[in-house]
Amino acid sequence: MMRQYELVERVTSYAPDADEALLNRAYVYAMKAHGSQTRASGDPYFSHPLEVAAVLTDLKLDDATIVAALLHDTIEDTETTREEIDRLFGPEIGELVDGLTKIKKLDLVSKKAEQAENLRKFMLAISKDVRVLLVKLADRLHNMRTLDYVPERKRKRIAEETMDIYAPLAGRMGIQWMRDELEELSFRQLNHQAYEMISSRLGMMRTVNQKAIDEIEEALGGQLAERGIEATVMGREKRAYSIWRKMERKSVSFEQLSDIIGFRVIVGSIEDCYRTLGIIHTTWRSVPGRYKDYISNPKQNDYRSLHTTVIGPRHRRVELQIRTREMHDIAEYGIAAHALYKDSGVNGAGRGAGNGDGRKAIESGAYRWLRRVVEMVSEGNTPEEFLEHTKLELFHDQVFCFTPKGRLIALPRGANAIDFAYAVHTDIGNTAIGCKVNGRLEPLISELHNGDEVEILVSRAQTPSAAWESIAVTGKARSAIRRATRAASRQQYAGLGRQIVSRAFERAGKPYSDERLAAVLPRLAQPSVEDALAAIGRGDLPSRDVLKALYPDYKEERQQRSAPSRKEEGWFGIRRAMGLKFRDPAGADGGKDAIPIRGIRGDLPVRFAKSGGAVPGDRIVGILTPGEGITIYPIHSPELKTFDDYPERWLDVRWDIDEENPERFPAQILVRAINEPGTLAQIAQVIGENGANIENIQMIGRTPDFHEMTIELEVWDLKHLNTIISLLKATKVVSSVTRING
Ligand code: MN
């Protein structure tokens, strides 16, 4: 723990006029007031206000701020009263401590509508005197540094509040190092896995990185010295959170993130900043689009620097910030560096103080912002309006949306309703089917805007679409979607695998059960029954391997394909060539031990051969493709020839249509029609009036007398298709119609 004289020495080192007696009194008073109280860590409670004071000495703040830091928890947590503080330390400090006490209990990420009111109170308290905010930020920083001692259920909430409110506020005040540290500490709590993953990777690369940093420091330092520019070059490894953000924002993996080291070059003058930039750009190739001039165009919080990225030694991307010492101080200490807190109009901000009384006219951007917020509050806007304005201002890289119950959901800019759903709860995301934005039905991919109220519509039967993974913006949504789609497809493959393996056993005259399969898992190199079944369903594990593992002396008979396809192909071929209507002599049922196929919306992972166009009623066959599962072909598809040499990949399948939820299937027809105006319209009319969808029409031949075209359409089943073909044939302008089967 810091000793009394050490604290005083720290303050007088940068503020020789500081009131030492006042500091001493406050130290002793706070220590006594907290007495034997302890923190969650077991440390004496007083260590906390003392650490907070120490952080503020790093920011070189005035004695009153340091004293307020020492006393900040006394009114709330001890017998001390406001009057007592006023009497012992004066009303200025009394006011500061009072402000800190007022905001202590405000829950800024509360789930209810009171959040707006709380944030309003918070803004009012901090904007009376910006020093209240600085003490509060230091207080939160120390609490975050010691958060591991706090019970787990509280931790997440504190970290959330820090990430959502305090870190952006520190950034707004221009105190970059504090923002970075607050974000890093919150990130570690909120996404522990990601934090650990990135940190350990950084750890592994540290030696390599350090080498690269040294090398570049030396090369750059040498270049600048040669041209007579005095510069300090500082290399640093980026923080886990900033790497994570980049991975999220750009959807890249850690491996693709080459620029995990950055450099700061601090020079003597603005002119030297630009000269340095010139030298860097002539030494290394610059990365287009990465140069930013925040010297001519400072950020709102007064941040100034030149930013650029170059391809450095060994083809590494290197990020550089070039600035003067003064710019550097402002970047690190922000509002505190302006020495504005002492004798400017900050105290009177809420009262809209004029500057006629000789106060410093210089205002930092951070202070201007704070004053605007206060003006807004005193103009008496409704809490909701206030929240909207403040949040827009405060978090310009985020959007804030609400659930119908008023819970606030913060999302990165560009996020959509899918991200929102997953931010509310993973289950909501996984079962989302649509959404209402401000009461209107919108697609889930709609980008959200500040203040949107979003209601997610869910259905239990839903599983997330794999395509969402690339549509979602947040890492949370993306990884949840990946998990869910993987689990769903694995389940589907396992279901198919069970059908395949049990039928294979039946054919071999052997009984199948999961227990038997479980017994041979090691021999099949499969971790679980579900994995083994999924591998069978995916076509990666042939079912005869399972049979052989269980019955080593099982002899595979030459697999008897029930495939009438080859035998009958000639017949079908002739019929087709003659343009005769296809009629299945054996009926649509491929046998009772065939695998039931419901369509693409069923439980099995099936796909339909693109050129095949099988519709219910067609006799079909399944082809198992390793890694992909099962593809359905009409039995007379010429493409099936390709699989003649792989009898083990053929599966008996049959239609199993869900009458309750009919599904349309794609089919193709070849139509020859008379070339005269209105022909196409007549054809389209016949198809449309009979309840089929036209997906595509392609003209393939045109003579003065005839049109020839292929039409892709969607039909319910073979009967439906045949009806349409018959009706088309009956149309006067049509001379022939043929179904195309691949
Ligand atoms: Mn505290």
Side-chain angles (χ1 to χ4, degrees), residues 715-729:
V715 296
W716 299 115
D717 56 18
L718 186 60
K719 201 174 148 218
H720 186 202
L721 178 61
N722 284 338
T723 305
I724 288 166
I725 291 176
S726 303
L727 286 167
L728 283 174
K729 283 181 174 168

Side-chain angles (χ1 to χ4, degrees), residues 377-576:
V377 173
S378 40
E379 276 163 19
N381 291 341
T382 65
E384 288 74 21
E385 259 179 280
F386 165 76
L387 183 71
E388 201 174 308
H389 286 294
T390 320
K391 296 227 141 151
L392 295 186
E393 283 288 308
L394 189 49
F395 312 99
H396 47 105
D397 50 354
Q398 286 181 291
V399 287
F400 287 85
C401 304
F402 296 88
T403 66
K405 285 183 181 160
R407 179 177 164 199
L408 177 87
I409 304 289
L411 296 165
R413 198 158 282 285
N416 52 49
I418 297 171
D419 296 295
F420 182 92
Y422 278 98
V424 174
H425 198 279
T426 306
D427 286 346
I428 304 279
N430 283 342
T431 54
I433 50 164
C435 68
K436 282 185 181 174
V437 178
N438 303 320
R440 273 186 39 196
L441 272 171
E442 300 270 359
L444 280 167
I445 56 170
S446 320
E447 185 176 329
L448 298 177
H449 301 100
N450 258 310
D452 280 350
E453 184 186 292
V454 185
E455 182 184 349
I456 299 294
L457 309 172
V458 298
S459 158
R460 285 290 136 206
Q462 182 68 13
T463 50
S465 145
W468 287 3
E469 198 186 319
S470 56
I471 297 167
V473 169
T474 54
K476 182 181 179 187
R478 275 210 297 270
S479 64
I481 293 161
R482 199 173 313 141
R483 269 199 310 278
T485 50
R486 219 180 268 156
S489 81
R490 202 174 95 112
Q491 219 179 344
Q492 285 194 332
Y493 280 123
L496 177 61
R498 174 169 281 115
Q499 307 247 25
I500 294 171
V501 75
S502 58
R503 280 170 176 79
F505 273 63
E506 213 169 285
R507 265 201 309 278
K510 309 280 186 193
Y512 170 80
S513 74
D514 284 359
E515 288 71 33
R516 278 163 203 272
L517 178 57
V520 291
L521 287 176
R523 291 180 58 185
L524 299 168
Q526 295 292 333
S528 72
V529 170
E530 168 119 0
D531 283 304
L533 290 174
I536 296 166
R538 257 197 309 271
D540 292 338
L541 173 61
S543 53
R544 63 152 193 270
D545 286 9
V546 182
L547 266 164
K548 279 192 179 146
L550 264 169
Y551 308 102
D553 44 355
Y554 163 74
K555 284 233 168 54
E556 193 182 9
E557 302 161 33
R558 180 67 193 153
Q559 203 165 1
Q560 214 195 348
R561 293 245 70 277
S562 58
S565 59
R566 261 82 50 86
K567 257 183 269 164
E568 293 176 32
E569 199 198 348
W571 184 80
F572 281 115
I574 292 163
R575 305 269 295 181
R576 206 163 59 233

Side-chain angles (χ1 to χ4, degrees), residues 55-225:
V55 170
L56 295 166
T57 61
D58 287 341
L59 291 172
K60 300 188 170 56
L61 289 174
D62 69 337
D63 44 18
T65 312
I66 307 298
V67 168
L70 290 170
L71 301 174
H72 81 271
D73 280 333
T74 54
I75 295 183
E76 179 71 26
D77 296 341
T78 75
E79 305 291 308
T80 305
T81 61
R82 165 79 197 270
E83 291 69 38
E84 199 175 346
I85 290 186
D86 279 355
R87 185 162 48 79
L88 292 170
F89 303 98
E92 184 192 355
I93 287 166
E95 185 88 359
L96 288 172
V97 178
D98 190 51
L100 286 157
T101 309
K102 278 193 186 128
I103 56 182
K104 199 172 170 194
K105 288 213 156 156
L106 296 179
D107 185 353
L108 301 179
V109 287
S110 65
K111 294 188 176 177
K112 302 180 193 77
E114 68 210 34
Q115 192 196 16
E117 189 51 36
N118 277 350
L119 195 66
R120 180 187 159 107
K121 285 181 190 157
F122 177 80
M123 284 296 170
L124 268 173
I126 62 172
S127 50
K128 271 192 191 145
D129 189 327
V130 77
R131 293 175 298 182
V132 172
L133 176 56
L134 298 176
V135 178
K136 184 64 200 172
L137 287 172
D139 176 39
R140 179 51 62 108
L141 180 64
H142 185 242
N143 285 335
M144 285 302 295
R145 284 175 179 169
T146 51
L147 196 61
D148 279 342
Y149 298 105
V150 170
E152 203 175 336
R153 69 198 147 77
K154 281 191 184 168
R155 258 185 254 165
K156 217 186 146 200
R157 196 153 185 74
I158 295 172
E160 234 172 81
E161 197 180 69
T162 306
M163 191 65 107
D164 285 354
I165 310 281
Y166 291 103
L169 268 175
R172 252 314 156 131
M173 294 299 111
I175 314 170
Q176 194 51 42
W177 69 266
M178 196 186 272
R179 179 190 190 151
D180 289 346
E181 189 175 343
L182 287 172
E183 281 176 346
E184 188 79 354
L185 291 166
S186 310
F187 175 53
R188 186 170 156 253
Q189 296 291 343
L190 294 175
N191 197 341
H192 194 70
Q193 229 183 334
Y195 174 86
E196 288 294 327
M197 184 268 288
I198 296 171
S199 302
S200 76
R201 300 282 266 290
L202 280 174
M204 282 172 354
M205 298 168 65
R206 187 146 295 140
T207 347
V208 184
N209 280 341
Q210 193 50 53
K211 244 191 179 153
I213 288 175
D214 292 346
E215 215 175 276
I216 294 166
E217 266 180 18
E218 211 184 293
L220 187 54
Q223 284 277 354
L224 295 175

Side-chain angles (χ1 to χ4, degrees), residues 652-688:
D652 285 334
V653 293
R654 64 179 167 86
W655 292 104
D656 170 37
I657 293 310
D658 179 6
E659 310 282 336
E660 305 283 299
N661 292 298
E663 192 178 339
R664 291 175 196 265
F665 291 80
Q668 288 184 52
I669 51 175
L670 176 68
V671 177
R672 201 155 178 256
I674 297 164
N675 185 3
E676 64 177 40
T679 296
L680 204 57
Q682 283 188 54
I683 291 169
Q685 192 183 352
V686 170
I687 295 173

Side-chain angles (χ1 to χ4, degrees), residues 624-637:
L624 200 52
T625 306
E628 288 181 9
I630 188 170
T631 307
I632 305 297
Y633 292 86
I635 220 159
H636 40 264
S637 167

